[in-house]
Amino acid sequence: MPGFLREHSWPIVFSVLLHGLLVAALVLMTVISSNRAPPSMQPLPINAVVVDSRALRAAQQAQSERAQQEAARARVLAQARDAAAAEAAAQTDATAAATQQHAADEAKTAAATADAAKLAAAQKQQVEEAQSAAALKAAAAQRVADAQKAEAARAAEEKKAADTKRAEDAKQAAAAKQAADAKQAADAKHAADQKAQAAREAELRRQLADEEHVSAVEASPLRDQYMAQLQNRITHAWIKPPSARVGTDCRVEVTQIPGGEVTSARVTQCNGDAAVRQSIENAVYRASPLPEPPDPALFQRNFVFEFKPNE
């Protein structure tokens, strides 16, 4: 209701002012009419004057016109009162209609508010039910997740134990294999050492035998015979240069390979000149292959002999 009054305040004020003005006009005209004295009827003196009939009719006509004017004024006032009353009734009806409309609007608003409240309550209940269902679902999912986690942890523990056992078994197997390999390697090394020791002893015996044979051969006349063969072979291959003198004596280092082929010949000491030196080295190469020794023990890859061609 206060909202309706605030919304229609100016039309209500205007209507009240208009009705107030109309009521004030009616009251004023009523007061004026009551205060006006009616025309007095003075008795004619006996010594009346003869009045003209035309003047009498004129007076009567004037009085009739005033009566008509008063009646017209009264009608106007009555119409104004009726119009004011009708306006007031219409305004009252409009106000009542507006009040009823406002009441109906408020009722509709209240009904809409109630419906909205019911809808909100229903929605809230649905939300709460959905939240409750979601909470139950989440709790069930959490229980499932916890069970899966526990199962995974148990499986991990079992796998860890199995891995540990496999690792321990593998470690023991590796240790056993390492021990077996070490024993096998030790046995093989011992056998190899024994074999190497036997080989070294055999080689040593062979070397000793060879050295004894070489010593025996070198101590025999065979060495001197072999060296004489080499000397004769190289001397026959020597081309004497013009600068050579009687009593030539040179020391020659020779390298040969099995079969007697000379690979190197170099005069280290000599009483001859460069031509004599070069002629002796050339004689060694021309004498290749050198004669084989009468005993293989006399063969030397590197040997030194004295070249004395004039002896």
Side-chain angles (χ1 to χ4, degrees):
M1 190 66 179
F4 174 79
L5 293 177
R6 284 194 300 271
E7 184 179 357
H8 301 84
S9 59
W10 285 107
I12 294 173
V13 171
F14 179 75
S15 177
V16 171
L17 290 176
L18 180 60
H19 284 79
L21 290 175
L22 290 174
V23 171
L26 290 174
V27 171
L28 179 61
M29 292 187 69
T30 303
V31 171
I32 292 173
S33 298
S34 63
N35 290 332
R36 180 178 297 174
S40 61
M41 300 297 295
Q42 298 290 335
L44 293 175
I46 296 174
N47 53 351
V49 181
V50 178
V51 181
D52 190 0
S53 60
R54 288 181 296 178
L56 181 59
R57 286 195 295 272
Q60 292 176 349
Q61 186 176 358
Q63 185 177 3
S64 176
E65 289 178 355
R66 283 196 297 273
Q68 291 177 357
Q69 291 176 356
E70 291 293 336
R73 190 178 294 110
R75 286 196 300 273
V76 170
L77 290 175
Q79 290 176 356
R81 286 195 300 272
D82 294 340
E87 180 66 22
Q91 187 65 34
T92 302
D93 293 339
T95 301
T99 302
Q100 292 177 356
Q101 183 63 34
H102 179 69
D105 292 339
E106 286 184 347
K108 290 181 180 179
T109 302
T113 303
D115 293 339
K118 291 179 180 179
L119 180 60
Q123 291 177 349
K124 181 179 180 181
Q125 184 178 1
Q126 291 178 355
V127 171
E128 290 177 352
E129 291 177 354
Q131 290 178 348
S132 178
L136 292 175
K137 185 176 180 181
Q142 185 62 39
R143 288 194 296 272
V144 173
D146 292 341
Q148 292 177 350
K149 185 177 181 180
E151 180 65 21
R154 185 183 63 79
E157 289 296 331
E158 292 179 353
K159 183 177 181 300
K160 182 178 180 181
D163 292 341
T164 302
K165 186 176 183 305
R166 282 195 298 270
E168 187 64 26
D169 294 341
K171 184 178 180 181
Q172 292 178 357
K177 184 177 183 301
Q178 185 177 4
D181 293 341
K183 184 177 182 305
Q184 184 178 0
D187 294 341
K189 184 176 183 300
H190 180 67
D193 291 342
Q194 289 181 345
K195 184 177 180 181
Q197 181 65 26
R200 286 193 298 269
E201 292 176 355
E203 179 66 19
L204 181 59
R205 287 192 297 269
R206 186 187 64 78
Q207 290 178 358
L208 291 174
D210 291 342
E211 290 177 359
E212 291 176 356
H213 178 70
V214 169
S215 298
V217 171
E218 288 181 351
S220 67
L222 293 176
R223 176 176 175 76
D224 294 337
Q225 294 175 5
Y226 177 58
M227 297 306 296
Q229 290 177 357
L230 292 176
Q231 178 73 27
N232 293 331
R233 182 70 171 267
I234 295 171
T235 300
H236 284 93
W238 180 51
I239 299 176
K240 184 177 180 181
S243 60
R245 298 190 306 270
V246 177
T248 299
D249 186 3
C250 298
R251 187 179 179 86
V252 185
E253 292 182 357
V254 180
T255 300
Q256 64 175 343
I257 62 176
E261 183 178 355
V262 176
T263 60
S264 175
R266 186 171 68 89
V267 176
T268 59
Q269 295 177 1
C270 187
N271 57 3
D273 58 8
V276 173
R277 291 170 177 266
Q278 185 65 46
S279 65
I280 294 172
E281 292 177 358
N282 292 338
V284 174
Y285 284 113
R286 279 195 295 271
S288 179
L290 299 176
E292 296 181 359
D295 192 307
L298 294 174
F299 177 82
Q300 294 180 348
R301 183 179 294 274
N302 300 306
F303 65 92
V304 179
F305 74 97
E306 296 292 333
F307 182 75
K308 297 178 179 181
N310 295 324
E311 292 184 356

